[in-house]
Amino acid sequence: MSQDVVVTGLGLVSCAGEGIGAHLAALEAGAPARTDTERFAPYTVHPVPPLALDGQIPKKSDQRQMEPWQRLGVYAAGLALDSAGVNADAALKSAMHLVVACGGGERDTAVDGAILTGLRDAADPGAYLNEHLLNDLRPTLFLAQLSNLLAGNIAIVHGVTGASRTFMGEEAAGTDALRIAQARIASGQVECMLVGGSYSAERPDVMVVHEMGGYLRAKPFRPVFSRDGEGEAGFILGSAAAFLVLESVAHARSRGATILARLAPVASDRTRREPGAVARSLEHLWQQVDLPAPDRVLSGATGVGGITAEEGEALARIAPEAGITALGDVIGHSLEVTAPFGAALAAGLVAAGKARDVAVTIVGHRRGEGMIRVTAA
Amino acid sequence: MTKQPLRDAKGRPLVAVTGLGIVTSLGQGQADNWAALTAGRSGIHAIKRFSTKGLRTRIAGTVDFLDTDPVVAPALSQRFAEEAAEEAIAQAGIGSAGNFPGALFIAVPPVEMEWPQRHALAEASGQDGPITYTDLQRAAASRRFDAWHDLFIFGSVADHIADRLGTKGSPISLSTACSSGATAIQLGVEAIRRGEVTAALCIGTDGSVNPESLIRFSLLSALSTQNDPPEAASKPFSKNRDGFVMGEGAGALVLEDAESARARGATILGYVLGCGEKGDGFHRTRSSPDGAPGIAAIRAALDDASLTPDAIDTINAHGTSTPENDKMEAMGCAAVFGERIGRLPISSNKSMIGHTLTAAGAIEAVVSLLTITHGRIPPTINYAVPDPAIPLNVVAEARDMRVGRVLSNSFGFGGQNTCLVLGDEPA
């Protein structure tokens, strides 16, 4: 007894701006709308334009309690609720469940730098660290860093209080957030959910983590599938947030919602990465989501060496007729947000009549392969 | 023996528990933990892992008998999870070595680079003026620290465990703050009920007692500062409670579709009869003053189990020993159980092992199932000065009684409330 799962609301924010219209336009541009090569040099980032936060987060006190990654996510969640026409329906939102895919929040880089500087000559480094963490960390910063507090803030600001679960684990977290949400609705375990994630790229702490291992591209923008030359591979981080309102078709119809698209069961996998593994996994997932001939493919390819070329070749083989667009060429790479962003953009394409059957591929930079299929309802 | 049904009262597959594993500051494995927990022994001690000079709280329930290199939260969390999972899988006798025939749901603490590693990058940068993140980035680009990428991304703990134990599909790493362990179990229950899998390995793990984690909770005034003696600091439901004590460990459960567990002749230890959850949008760290979300989560778990409150024999409390939690939990339980709450035995394992945070829901589910198996409720130690505002039947000494069904509560920052009903027989 499986029910169709439909998309009835979309909230998108990235370097291309906000809303589905801006992103459908950006999809055809061939390069992200905003690229900053200076602020975090030598790394390039795709930053978000300033947002009119008051529109979705009316209380300044709430805005102050959050760091940028949370504000971005809470803002996009509000856009999705607006687009689904449920923002004024407190009862519906209090029953709505939430799955968020994200990592953690920003460090206070000034405090970290000062402590590291002081530690160099500290006579008792342990005592020095304790003293300065106690005195210099803002007490509420912790709540802006905790992964599950994006969901917490969405509950506080928007009143989405069915219950929330936060999935972590880079790109795969986004795929699995959609997979579990779709499955819970399809099986009748819940009727209506908000699913998505948020990522702020404009923070030097994440660049340290991704520079280790050499996954970060320290050069200006170049299209994702054209980063195969020596020293060209790697991802460019982009700030982005995406949320989708998902419902059973019966629930959507009963409240007279506009159905934008249908979300098929999501397929995900975890292969041991070795040459050829990504291509084999994608072909397997392709069959699992029953994709005869999509007219559009949105690829979440990272630009990381080896796996990106492998994905490109696999897609050329299994979807020769489909137009393939790398999300990285639209918004940059946004880790956990890649899958929800791809799914939301696919739903936007379908709703606008620009496609009928869209596949979104996710190949995590270290692990996790996924395939999402969005079709006309 | 009567023939047991294979489906629950709602017609869904019954979810059986066939394996348990546990690591806490009291020891490794069911036997050691059960002996210590029922003897009322505390695992709370002075922190030796790092300097506590200048800190208001200098105690925790760290797990010091399992080591990693480097000593960082993700490595410790992984180690504890592996030990607990291997115990659970061995007891279940499921699959074969490195081939667990089901999905992995694991609650892990949020991951970030820690101070020793930041400091090493700063040193390697060669910067002798003020350090900035640009210096750390430059050091990272030296390629000398590449191994730390995988150490400090969120998906690695689950990935390593999936690799080692051979779980199937994409593993889920999750957080619902202090109710994470219960959510891992809930995700496994739901996947089995949907028929997606016949087995799930559900783990909650936490090895995050380090200076910054401790200080973060300290800055929120959440921790007990009664350092001396350490074992008396965690005193849930007592009038003089003054905060929680951080703890570490892991709990692991092998869940199976009861039908497939019976078909392979597995010993069924108990059942996860119901799971309930409810969000709270009142405040980032405080619960709604009327307690409604916590009450709704308990009721949802009972409804999911098709049970009335009368069917519960004891409550494994969240019982953190913070003034706020214990008051609100008592209020919530009283609202659901009515005047019976004054007689219903309730106990908090955190009095002995501290608050194991991400792991707590899973560890306490393991203890709840051991309570059912052994017919003995572990005590809430340090219950010397009852809080007159909390009229609960707190189990101050281990109590022998037949226990058929346990309600296990988990409540967390960010409005997370998750409750489980565990039982010896189907409802």
Side-chain angles (χ1 to χ4, degrees):
Chain A
M1 196 183 62
S2 179
Q3 309 199 47
D4 266 4
V5 177
V6 294
V7 183
T8 57
L10 298 173
L12 291 174
V13 181
S14 77
C15 69
E18 65 179 75
I20 195 67
H23 285 91
L24 291 180
L27 202 48
E28 313 304 335
R34 282 178 184 76
T35 297
D36 187 336
T37 55
E38 287 170 14
R39 205 166 129 214
F40 300 100
Y43 308 109
T44 301
V45 295
H46 303 299
V48 280
L51 301 170
L53 289 173
D54 295 357
Q56 292 296 345
I57 312 173
K59 284 191 196 161
K60 293 282 185 207
S61 59
D62 281 333
Q63 293 180 22
R64 277 196 300 273
Q65 292 268 330
M66 296 182 236
E67 289 293 310
W69 75 288
Q70 289 174 330
R71 289 194 285 264
L72 200 60
V74 173
Y75 188 86
L79 294 180
L81 295 168
D82 275 345
S83 130
V86 298
N87 227 341
D89 191 341
L92 186 146
K93 289 193 295 182
S94 73
M96 183 184 258
H97 287 249
L98 175 58
V99 185
V100 170
C102 64
E106 288 89 343
R107 303 282 313 172
D108 185 328
T109 54
V111 167
D112 286 357
I115 291 176
L116 287 170
T117 305
L119 273 175
R120 198 165 42 209
D121 300 314
D124 183 342
Y128 180 91
L129 181 64
N130 291 345
E131 181 191 345
H132 285 272
L133 289 174
L134 268 173
N135 291 330
D136 302 344
L137 283 180
R138 279 179 290 124
T140 54
L141 179 65
F142 183 28
L143 302 173
Q145 293 170 323
L146 269 177
S147 302
N148 76 302
L149 259 292
L150 171 52
N153 278 294
I154 290 171
I156 289 167
V157 174
H158 298 305
V160 175
T161 55
S164 69
R165 300 173 192 175
T166 296
F167 288 4
M168 307 174 299
E170 291 72 42
E171 297 89 347
T175 314
D176 287 324
L178 286 164
R179 174 169 66 89
I180 298 287
Q182 197 280 344
R184 287 171 72 193
I185 297 171
S187 67
Q189 288 173 337
V190 291
E191 291 185 307
C192 184
M193 299 191 80
L194 180 64
V195 188
S198 177
Y199 187 81
S200 173
E202 296 154 69
R203 42 186 286 202
D205 50 334
V206 291
M207 292 164 193
V208 175
V209 170
H210 294 300
E211 173 59 79
M212 296 188 302
Y215 299 101
L216 210 50
R217 182 178 159 85
K219 287 185 173 179
F221 173 77
R222 182 177 209 181
V224 168
F225 283 110
S226 309
R227 294 180 194 168
D228 40 10
E230 177 68 28
E232 296 294 336
F235 49 75
I236 295 175
L237 293 169
S239 296
F243 278 86
L244 302 90
V245 175
L246 302 180
E247 303 179 59
S248 69
V249 70
H251 188 268
R253 288 209 180 113
S254 73
R255 67 177 191 89
T258 303
I259 293 174
L260 303 173
R262 174 182 169 273
L263 176 67
V266 174
S268 69
D269 201 5
R270 171 194 163 274
T271 60
R272 283 203 175 93
R273 290 286 173 86
E274 54 201 13
V278 163
R280 278 196 301 279
S281 175
L282 287 174
E283 283 170 16
H284 175 68
L285 295 170
W286 191 261
Q287 279 156 19
Q288 243 180 290
V289 297
D290 191 22
L291 280 173
D295 40 31
R296 191 86 188 231
V297 174
L298 301 178
S299 163
T302 53
V304 167
I307 54 174
T308 299
E310 221 179 273
E311 178 179 341
E313 288 157 21
L315 288 176
R317 201 161 53 241
I318 54 186
E321 308 295 327
I324 298 172
T325 306
L327 280 169
D329 295 349
V330 185
I331 62 167
H333 188 52
S334 55
L335 291 129
E336 296 86 1
V337 184
T338 312
F341 206 101
L345 204 45
L349 276 168
V350 165
K354 291 175 182 286
R356 289 200 55 78
D357 193 338
V358 185
V360 181
T361 61
I362 303 295
V363 175
H365 75 285
R366 292 296 288 137
R367 61 184 68 96
E369 299 79 33
M371 187 82 67
I372 300 154
R373 186 185 184 194
V374 177
T375 60
Chain B
M1 195 175 134
T2 53
K3 181 128 175 73
Q4 297 272 11
L6 296 168
R7 301 221 151 218
D8 68 12
K10 293 182 165 60
R12 307 170 297 195
L14 257 178
V15 179
V17 182
T18 57
L20 300 173
I22 182 169
V23 173
T24 73
S25 54
L26 290 171
Q28 184 172 344
Q30 294 175 41
D32 285 1
N33 273 284
W34 187 247
L37 286 165
T38 49
R41 201 179 308 147
S42 172
I44 309 304
H45 49 254
I47 293 169
K48 295 186 279 285
R49 186 178 292 160
F50 53 87
S51 167
T52 55
K53 204 179 277 185
L55 299 182
R56 293 196 288 268
T57 295
R58 300 182 295 278
I59 54 172
T62 51
V63 173
D64 295 332
F65 51 86
L66 293 174
D67 212 1
T68 60
D69 182 23
V71 181
V72 292
L76 289 167
S77 301
Q78 182 182 323
R79 181 86 203 274
F80 305 160
E82 283 168 355
E83 300 292 342
E86 286 184 352
E87 182 186 11
I89 292 172
Q91 183 176 24
I94 190 170
S96 53
N99 179 24
F100 180 86
L104 172 61
F105 299 96
I106 179 165
V108 288
V111 172
E112 62 183 359
M113 194 188 292
E114 295 177 21
W115 282 99
Q117 288 72 37
R118 267 185 217 113
H119 185 57
L121 286 167
E123 296 268 288
S125 74
Q127 173 63 264
D128 49 17
I131 302 277
T132 68
Y133 267 85
T134 305
D135 300 307
L136 306 189
Q137 289 166 355
R138 197 173 58 252
S142 72
R143 305 272 72 85
R144 283 171 48 201
F145 303 98
D146 279 2
W148 287 351
H149 174 269
D150 284 5
L151 189 59
F152 293 122
I153 63 173
F154 286 77
S156 292
V157 172
D159 196 58
H160 289 133
I161 289 175
D163 230 15
R164 176 162 170 162
L165 303 177
T167 57
K168 302 297 176 273
S170 182
I172 305 272
S173 307
L174 68 114
S175 174
T176 56
C178 302
S179 67
S180 300
T183 302
I185 294 167
Q186 184 175 23
L187 280 157
V189 167
E190 289 173 351
I192 291 170
R193 285 177 178 168
R194 287 195 298 266
E196 282 172 15
V197 294
T198 55
L201 176 60
C202 303
I203 306 174
T205 186
D206 205 312
S208 63
V209 177
N210 55 51
E212 186 159 343
S213 293
L214 186 106
I215 287 166
R216 284 164 162 173
F217 283 118
S218 196
L219 288 170
L220 293 174
S221 305
L223 299 180
S224 172
T225 56
Q226 296 178 7
N227 294 293
D228 193 23
E231 55 271 18
S234 181
K235 39 196 169 315
F237 306 116
S238 294
K239 190 164 189 285
N240 55 340
R241 68 189 186 277
D242 71 324
F244 73 80
V245 177
M246 290 179 81
E248 292 184 329
L253 296 86
V254 173
L255 304 185
E256 287 186 71
D257 183 329
E259 186 172 358
S260 82
R262 278 184 210 147
R264 69 177 186 87
T267 301
I268 292 177
L269 308 172
Y271 298 87
V272 186
L273 299 175
C275 311
E277 56 182 343
K278 182 71 184 112
D280 187 343
F282 177 70
H283 186 269
R284 288 162 187 84
T285 57
R286 282 184 286 131
S287 38
S288 294
D290 62 0
I295 294 166
I298 298 173
R299 289 198 171 127
L302 291 168
D303 287 349
D304 192 50
S306 302
L307 291 172
T308 60
D310 288 348
I312 298 297
D313 298 312
T314 183
I315 300 173
N316 186 310
H318 190 55
T320 57
S321 181
T322 63
E324 163 93 0
N325 174 81
D326 295 3
K327 180 185 73 176
M328 294 308 296
E329 185 170 12
M331 183 210 273
C333 289
V336 174
F337 291 93
E339 53 85 32
R340 185 172 169 245
I341 198 63
R343 302 190 304 276
L344 184 63
I346 184 168
S347 195
S348 169
N349 309 144
K350 292 184 180 77
S351 62
M352 293 173 278
I353 59 174
H355 189 351
T356 57
L357 302 163
T358 306
I363 286 176
E364 291 162 22
V366 170
V367 175
S368 297
L369 285 152
L370 292 174
T371 301
I372 290 171
T373 301
H374 295 280
R376 173 172 288 189
I377 303 172
T380 301
I381 65 167
N382 303 320
Y383 189 62
V385 190
D387 184 345
I390 298 180
L392 297 174
N393 178 9
V394 176
V395 177
E397 301 281 339
R399 192 176 300 176
D400 288 319
M401 61 177 265
R402 201 194 96 74
V403 176
R405 289 174 187 127
V406 180
L407 170 70
S408 179
N409 288 337
S410 295
F411 307 123
F413 280 179
Q416 312 271 187
N417 303 287
T418 310
C419 300
L420 304 174
V421 176
L422 304 147
D424 58 346
E425 285 177 16

